[in-house]
Amino acid sequence: MRSFTRRTARKFALVGAATATGLLLTACGSDDGASGMDHSGASASATASTAAPSATPSGPSASGAPASGDFNDADVMFAQMMIPHHEQALEMAGLAAGRAEDPEVRKLVAAIERAQDPEIQKMKAWLKGWGRPESAGHGSGGHGMAGMMSEQDMKDLAALKGRSFDRKFAELMTAHHDGAVAMARDEQKNGRNATAKALADDVVRTQSAEVAALKKILERL
């Protein structure tokens, strides 16, 4: 009886040891599996995050691509002069905040801001691709660029508000747009680069339409 009890106890001890070993191996296997799944998930996330930028181009590469094809001095001058011209138009538009009263004036201001900043970025990219400087060396006064406002013009505009601002803005922006259209027509005639000439076409079309709208505003103010 005592021998049987000893054998039975030894048998249960062996079974318990085997069971414990199995549980330990299972636990180790589960840890390895979980670790593998975590690495796989991290790898997938890293791959997805790495691939995301190429799937969605950034702003500069999408809107500021170099102008491919041949170009000449007229193309370079068009970009170099139109950049500060556009920048001043944006400065004038910026003054409308808190000053402009007429809904049509505010609408034109929004259109100018929406169109001209992306065009500036495009032209800067062209000049970089062409290996030419952004500045044509005309100085901060804008000498040689048609339609540019003087510092005094800008100060006078900034001092106005309401209906007085609206009228002055329409007068100055009409002259400013006329200058841009003249520069764009020169590019249409003398430029060589197809991309630059296409932008000149857009400037003539959009700013001529805005001049017509500004003149209508002036008629009723």
Side-chain angles (χ1 to χ4, degrees):
M1 183 69 176
R2 184 177 301 168
S3 175
F4 174 77
T5 302
R6 191 180 296 117
R7 285 198 304 271
T8 301
R10 187 182 299 117
K11 180 178 179 181
F12 282 135
L14 290 173
V15 170
T19 301
T21 301
L23 290 172
L24 180 62
L25 291 173
T26 300
C28 292
S30 297
D31 287 343
D32 290 342
S35 176
M37 285 177 9
D38 287 343
H39 287 308
S40 174
S43 176
S45 298
T47 303
S49 62
T50 303
S54 61
T56 306
S58 61
S61 63
S63 63
S68 60
D70 198 10
F71 66 93
N72 61 13
D73 289 343
D75 299 314
V76 173
M77 188 63 67
F78 171 66
Q80 287 176 333
M81 295 177 73
M82 196 60 80
I83 287 170
H85 205 273
H86 273 18
E87 286 174 341
Q88 189 179 68
L90 291 175
E91 185 181 354
M92 294 169 68
L95 292 175
R99 294 181 175 89
E101 181 180 276
D102 190 88
E104 290 300 316
V105 169
R106 291 200 295 264
K107 182 179 178 181
L108 279 170
V109 164
I112 290 167
E113 292 174 334
R114 187 166 55 247
Q116 296 200 21
D117 185 62
E119 289 177 355
I120 289 171
Q121 303 312 314
K122 287 179 183 179
M123 291 184 285
K124 286 182 176 182
W126 300 350
L127 290 168
K128 183 177 181 181
W130 294 338
R132 300 299 176 89
E134 288 182 9
S135 172
H138 293 288
S140 59
H143 301 298
M145 287 181 278
M148 289 290 283
M149 301 298 106
S150 67
E151 289 185 13
Q152 189 60 51
D153 288 329
M154 298 298 290
K155 288 179 180 178
D156 290 344
L157 182 62
L160 300 174
K161 194 171 183 179
R163 187 183 180 89
S164 298
F165 176 89
D166 294 334
R167 184 168 184 82
K168 188 67 172 179
F169 177 86
E171 289 174 351
L172 294 180
M173 191 60 78
T174 295
H176 199 272
H177 273 12
D178 282 341
V181 170
M183 292 162 59
R185 289 196 188 281
D186 184 71
E187 168 64 14
Q188 288 176 322
K189 180 180 178 181
N190 300 310
R192 181 181 301 166
N193 185 269
T195 304
K197 288 169 76 72
L199 179 58
D201 293 342
D202 286 342
V203 169
V204 171
R205 177 177 51 81
T206 59
Q207 297 202 25
S208 293
E210 289 176 355
V211 165
L214 288 163
K215 288 180 176 178
K216 287 183 179 180
I217 290 171
L218 284 171
E219 288 175 359
R220 61 178 174 75
L221 287 179

